[in-house]
Amino acid sequence: MRSRWHVSAVPANNPLEALVFRSRLIGEEERLGLFGGGNTSTKGEAPDLLGQPQAILWVKGSGADLKGCEARHFSPLRLEVVRQLSGRAHMSDEEMVAFLERCLVDPKAPRPSVETLLHAFIPERDIDHTHADAILSLANTHHGEALVRKVLGKQLLWIPYLQPGFALSKRVFEAYRRQPSAQGAVLEKHGLITWGPDGRTSYVRTIRYVSMAERFLARQRRRARGVAHGRPAHSHAEATALLRQYLPAIRGTISRRRKVCLTSWDSPDVLAFVNTKQLLSLARIGPATPDHMLRTKRLPLIMERSSRSSVAVSPQALVRQLERYAAAHQRYFLKYRQPEHAMQDPYPRVILIPGVGMLTTGKDATETAMVAAIYRHAMAIMREASRVGRYTSVSERQAFGVEYWPLELYKLSLAPREAELAREVGLLTGAAGGIGRGIAELLVDRGASLVVTDLRRQEVEALAQTLSRRAGRQRVLGVAMDVTDERSIERAYDAAMRAFGGIDFLVSNAGIASV
Ligand code: ZN
C-alpha cells in the first residue's frame, strides 16, 4: 500500500481541516476499511465561548464514513474533561454516551465515535484506527499475537479482544503507559491503531504496517501455489437457470417480515471462495471484524447441496435452509438477550451458493452492494488468514455483544425514513419516451427500484444513470428490451433478477396496440 501523503495538499494552520484531509486518504483506501468502519482524531486548541484557548479533541462522529468525509462529520470535545475519565475504574456504555454528549463543544455536532475514549486517553496528538484487511489476516489467526510480533515487530502493542468502549480504551491506555515508545496497537480480531505527534506520522505508520503485512502475505501466497480449488463453477447459463428457480423462493421467504432486494454476484474472487473446499470450514467461523456484522450479520447462509453433490437442491429445500437459519438466529438471540434487546431480522444478509456465487440482501441495490463489498473483503481476509494459520473470529457471545449493541445499532438509526414505494421493484416498458420518462421519475421519486426498458440500449442506460443520480441511490437499471421478442424479454427479466432479486410490478407502457 502506497502513502498518498502530499505535504503541499495538507491544509495548514487548521487542525480540523488537516484531519479531514488525512481521514479522506484513509477512507479512499478500501483495504483499510469500508462504510463507516474505522475512525480518526486530532488534538488541538480552539477558542471557547469567551475567546480563551481550550484544548479540543476532534474525533469522527459515530457511523460517519471516512471516505469523502467533511468537517461536519467530526465531533469537537473538551479534551481536559474527557481525559479525566481515565482515572475511573468502570463506566457503562450509557454513562459514557451521556458523558461525552455533555463534553461536546458544539451541541449540534454528531454523536462521537464509540471509540472516542481511546482517542482521548492516548496522549499522542494524532490517532488513526482502521480495520485493515492485511492486519486482520494476521490478527485473526490462532497464533495472532506471535504472528503480529514476527511480521510487524515490537513497536505495536497487542491488545486481546475486548468490545469497544470504556474498558478497551483503558486497556490500550495502560498498555501504552507501559511502553510509551509504541507506535500503535493491534486489536485482536478487530483492527489496527497508529498514532504520532502529527498527522503525517500517524498516517504513514498505518500505511507502513499494512504494507509490511501485505508483503508477508504475498510471500505466503506465492509459496502456497497448487492448493486445490474445489468444484468448478456452473456455466453462466446454468447459474441463471438455477437463480430463476431460487430467487423467487428466497426473496419471498425473506420478505415475509420486510421486503428486500437481492443482488447476485459472480466475480472471480466470489466464485473462487464459494467453490473452494474450505468454504464450510471458513465461512462458519465468524466476522473478520465485529463492525462488519452491522451489514453482514455474524454468519452467511451457505447453501447445502443434496447428498449427490452434482445435484442442486430444490427451491423448497432452500426455503427450509433459510428457515433453519432464521430459527438458529432466534436461538442465538434468546440465549444472549438482555431486557433492552429486540430481535433484528433473523434472515441472512449473505447467501453463498456453491457453483453459482453470492446473493446479498438489503433495502435497495446500494445496500446490497455495500453488503457485498464488505463480505468480499471478509472472504479475502479468511483466505489469507487460513494460509498463514487457522482463521479465528470473535466467539458467539462476543459477536452478540456487538451485533445487538445499542451503540452499534444507533448507526442504522441515522438512515433517512423510507419512502412510500421503498423496497418495491418495478419494470417499465417504453421508458425512453416522454410518458415513460414521466412515469419513471414519479416511481423513482416515491422510492421504488426500477428497471427501465426500451428498444435502444444507450438511451435506457443514459436514462438509468440520470434517474439514479436523481435518487442518490443505485435504484435504477437500464436494459434494452423489445416487447415483441420473447428472448429479449427473458434476457431483461434475468438482468432485473440478478440486480434486484425479482419484480413486484409491471408498467406496460410501450405502444404495442395493433391499430
Ligand atoms: Zn474499530
Side-chain angles (χ1 to χ4, degrees), residues 21-188:
F21 168 81
R22 180 173 103 237
S23 304
R24 286 182 170 198
L25 288 189
I26 292 172
E28 281 158 18
E29 198 65 77
E30 287 195 355
R31 283 175 290 157
L32 294 179
L34 291 157
F35 315 122
N39 40 65
T40 52
S41 71
T42 192
K43 300 178 181 78
E45 274 190 353
D48 69 6
L49 279 177
L50 300 172
Q52 298 300 313
Q54 177 176 235
I56 301 284
L57 167 71
W58 284 276
V59 68
K60 193 197 79 167
S62 183
D65 195 349
L66 291 174
K67 186 177 184 177
C69 63
E70 292 171 23
R72 65 187 167 90
H73 295 118
F74 291 83
S75 316
L77 296 135
R78 288 181 190 88
L79 178 59
E80 289 313 322
V81 185
V82 183
R83 235 179 215 161
Q84 302 284 323
L85 293 176
S86 68
R88 287 211 193 178
H90 302 283
M91 192 173 207
S92 72
D93 291 337
E94 295 73 27
E95 280 179 288
M96 179 179 79
V97 170
F99 190 99
L100 290 178
E101 205 161 89
R102 300 187 65 180
C103 295
L104 283 172
V105 174
D106 174 1
K108 292 197 208 74
R111 183 193 274 198
S113 159
V114 296
E115 276 142 349
T116 295
L117 293 184
L118 198 155
H119 291 267
F121 294 172
I122 300 289
E124 306 274 344
R125 200 189 80 177
D126 289 273
I127 302 180
D128 294 320
H129 166 51
T130 56
H131 302 150
D133 292 1
I135 301 294
L136 292 170
S137 301
L138 303 180
N140 292 13
T141 55
H142 69 289
H143 55 336
E145 182 175 5
L147 195 56
V148 163
R149 292 240 183 284
K150 182 182 129 191
V151 178
L152 305 179
K154 295 203 169 66
Q155 291 302 312
L156 288 180
L157 308 166
W158 172 262
I159 310 292
Y161 181 81
L162 264 182
Q163 186 165 320
F166 179 79
L168 174 64
S169 305
K170 236 188 125 157
R171 179 78 69 91
V172 178
F173 180 46
E174 280 159 5
Y176 173 86
R177 280 205 296 203
R178 284 194 295 274
Q179 191 185 329
S181 62
Q183 301 181 348
V186 172
L187 307 180
E188 185 190 17

Side-chain angles (χ1 to χ4, degrees), residues 216-272:
F216 172 78
L217 292 167
R219 282 199 298 279
Q220 302 303 312
R221 212 178 305 140
R222 282 196 293 277
R223 259 181 226 163
R225 268 180 314 172
V227 174
H229 286 296
R231 58 173 75 83
H234 290 289
S235 71
H236 194 76
E238 286 167 347
T240 302
L242 283 173
L243 289 174
R244 282 185 191 170
Q245 292 180 44
Y246 290 160
L247 278 166
I250 298 174
R251 187 160 181 254
T253 305
I254 299 184
S255 296
R256 262 184 233 144
R257 281 171 176 254
R258 203 166 183 210
K259 204 169 254 185
V260 292
C261 258
L262 275 161
T263 306
S264 316
W265 309 89
D266 58 0
S267 52
D269 60 321
V270 169
L271 286 175

Side-chain angles (χ1 to χ4, degrees), residues 206-512:
T206 291
I207 301 296
R208 191 162 73 87
Y209 283 115
V210 170
S211 302
M212 284 163 80
E214 286 183 342
R215 282 196 297 274
F216 172 78
L217 292 167
R219 282 199 298 279
Q220 302 303 312
R221 212 178 305 140
R222 282 196 293 277
R223 259 181 226 163
R225 268 180 314 172
V227 174
H229 286 296
R231 58 173 75 83
H234 290 289
S235 71
H236 194 76
E238 286 167 347
T240 302
L242 283 173
L243 289 174
R244 282 185 191 170
Q245 292 180 44
Y246 290 160
L247 278 166
I250 298 174
R251 187 160 181 254
T253 305
I254 299 184
S255 296
R256 262 184 233 144
R257 281 171 176 254
R258 203 166 183 210
K259 204 169 254 185
V260 292
C261 258
L262 275 161
T263 306
S264 316
W265 309 89
D266 58 0
S267 52
D269 60 321
V270 169
L271 286 175
F273 188 78
V274 299
N275 292 333
T276 171
K277 283 181 180 153
Q278 295 170 300
L279 174 65
L280 285 177
S281 59
L282 280 183
R284 282 185 177 161
I285 293 172
T289 184
D291 193 53
H292 284 184
M293 288 189 295
L294 188 67
R295 308 273 177 201
T296 65
K297 291 185 111 75
R298 188 172 77 90
L299 297 174
L301 167 67
I302 305 164
M303 199 196 83
E304 293 163 33
R305 301 272 188 134
S306 59
S307 48
R308 281 178 299 149
S309 65
S310 62
V311 181
V313 298
S314 66
Q316 293 77 9
L318 190 50
V319 168
R320 285 195 294 277
Q321 292 183 23
L322 279 168
E323 295 300 0
R324 274 208 298 278
Y325 181 101
H329 184 90
Q330 191 168 12
R331 284 197 300 278
Y332 160 76
F333 174 75
L334 293 174
K335 190 168 168 188
Y336 300 110
R337 71 170 299 183
Q338 297 292 318
E340 72 271 20
H341 293 137
M343 193 171 84
Q344 301 284 310
D345 179 7
Y347 288 106
R349 292 282 171 75
V350 177
I351 299 171
L352 304 175
I353 308 181
V356 175
M358 168 171 76
L359 306 175
T360 56
T361 78
K363 67 178 176 189
D364 58 22
T366 294
E367 204 168 276
T368 58
M370 286 167 92
V371 177
I374 291 172
Y375 203 75
R376 284 174 67 185
H377 280 266
M379 287 173 175
I381 293 164
M382 287 179 221
R383 298 200 78 165
E384 297 285 353
S386 66
R387 214 172 273 131
V388 296
R390 185 158 40 76
Y391 175 70
T392 57
S393 175
V394 289
S395 70
E396 193 183 76
R397 179 184 294 278
Q398 290 166 338
F400 185 89
V402 177
E403 194 175 352
Y404 278 88
W405 191 24
L407 302 196
E408 189 75 357
L409 293 172
Y410 167 80
K411 296 179 186 174
L412 295 179
S413 74
L414 299 173
R417 215 169 67 89
E418 291 187 11
E420 181 190 355
L421 293 179
R423 298 168 182 270
E424 301 290 331
V425 183
L427 187 142
L428 168 65
T429 67
I435 294 174
R437 216 169 258 266
I439 297 170
E441 285 176 3
L442 185 99
L443 292 171
V444 168
D445 287 351
R446 295 206 180 168
S449 293
L450 196 61
V451 185
V452 289
T453 72
D454 212 313
L455 286 173
R456 279 175 300 275
R457 205 184 67 174
Q458 271 131 330
E459 255 177 291
V460 282
E461 285 180 354
L463 175 63
Q465 269 185 12
T466 310
L467 290 168
S468 284
R469 266 200 303 277
R470 187 180 170 108
R473 308 278 295 181
Q474 295 169 34
R475 281 205 270 111
V476 191
L477 176 71
V479 183
M481 182 176 104
D482 177 353
V483 294
T484 66
D485 174 357
E486 264 185 50
R487 294 280 307 278
S488 162
I489 293 171
E490 269 185 15
R491 278 197 299 273
Y493 268 78
D494 285 341
M497 171 184 84
R498 283 181 177 270
F500 299 123
I503 285 167
D504 301 306
F505 66 89
L506 167 75
V507 184
S508 180
N509 169 64
I512 53 167

